[in-house]
Amino acid sequence: MIDVRSMCAIGQRGQLGLNGHLPWEGNTDPVFVEDVTRFFAITMGHVLIAGPKTIASVPEFAFKDRTIDVIRSHEDPEEVLARYPGRRIYVGGGIAVWNIYAKYIQQWDITRLPYDGEADRWFDPAWLVGGDHRIVPT
Ligand SMILES: NC(=O)c1ccc[n+]([C@@H]2O[C@H](COP(=O)([O-])OP(=O)(O)OC[C@H]3O[C@@H](n4cnc5c(N)ncnc54)[C@H](OP(=O)(O)O)[C@@H]3O)[C@@H](O)[C@H]2O)c1
């Protein structure tokens, strides 16, 4: 079985992103700083696959000690995962990526941060049970 995991941080109501960044970006309270530090410590040495906007916000230093792969919608998810035999793969988002890759994720590491402001990207709890199960009105 391929080792596929995901790690993310959300606000009190599931806020994930705002204007291409973390909604709490720039907040120097230790709880936010430590969360980002922990993300880079835990994913170090592993593979991080994510959409173009998420990767655009990854700092330069993080490219040195992990494999970072910008994934695109035209790519077959199983072919993407098969590129990294024997490696631990972190699915880093964003929304459309988690909608598709959720069914492969065996471990979620989610930190709920003390942020309750604006967002334009939201965590979908359906991902935890393998995908996008929202009811589409007929
Ligand atoms: N809080 C957190 O832990 C966390 C984590 C990650 C991201 N974020 C936030 O989320 C926001 C960025 O996410 P985003 O959703 O806007 O954009 P994104 O990271 O670019 O991810 C979505 C894009 O991924 C591409 N993609 C790759 N494989 C795909 C597939 N199989 N199916 C569909 N699309 C696929 C698509 O781009 P193409 O169609 O162009 O290929 C899609 O538009 C930022 O605000 C960021 O800070 C937060």
Side-chain angles (χ1 to χ4, degrees):
M1 191 193 268
I2 310 172
D3 183 355
V4 186
R5 305 184 184 204
S6 195
M7 192 172 174
C8 68
I10 60 175
Q12 293 295 292
R13 289 174 291 120
Q15 295 95 325
L16 264 176
L18 178 64
N19 301 324
H21 300 279
L22 297 174
W24 44 87
E25 198 158 301
N27 190 321
T28 55
D29 187 293
V31 73
F32 298 100
V33 177
E34 280 161 21
D35 179 68
V36 173
T37 304
R38 183 172 170 269
F39 176 85
F40 287 116
I42 287 180
T43 59
M44 188 186 292
H46 302 302
V47 178
L48 176 64
I49 62 170
K53 288 189 198 145
T54 297
I55 296 302
S57 67
V58 172
E60 197 55 42
F61 77 84
F63 286 77
K64 294 193 187 91
D65 49 19
R66 74 209 68 221
T67 304
I68 294 186
D69 191 352
V70 182
I71 54 172
R72 306 304 302 261
S73 47
H74 65 266
E75 296 178 291
D76 176 342
E78 299 199 3
E79 282 177 16
V80 169
L81 298 174
R83 282 177 202 155
Y84 303 104
R87 302 282 305 276
R88 178 173 299 167
I89 303 171
Y90 281 92
V91 178
I95 307 305
V97 169
W98 276 316
N99 281 341
I100 298 294
Y101 285 77
K103 65 178 175 182
Y104 303 107
I105 297 170
Q106 297 124 29
Q107 188 197 79
W108 280 90
D109 180 325
I110 304 164
T111 301
R112 190 158 165 258
L113 292 166
Y115 171 88
D116 206 12
E118 266 188 276
D120 57 20
R121 296 289 183 275
W122 296 82
F123 184 86
D124 184 347
W127 295 331
L128 298 178
V129 288
D132 183 356
H133 302 301
R134 281 169 295 189
I135 296 164
V136 180
T138 50

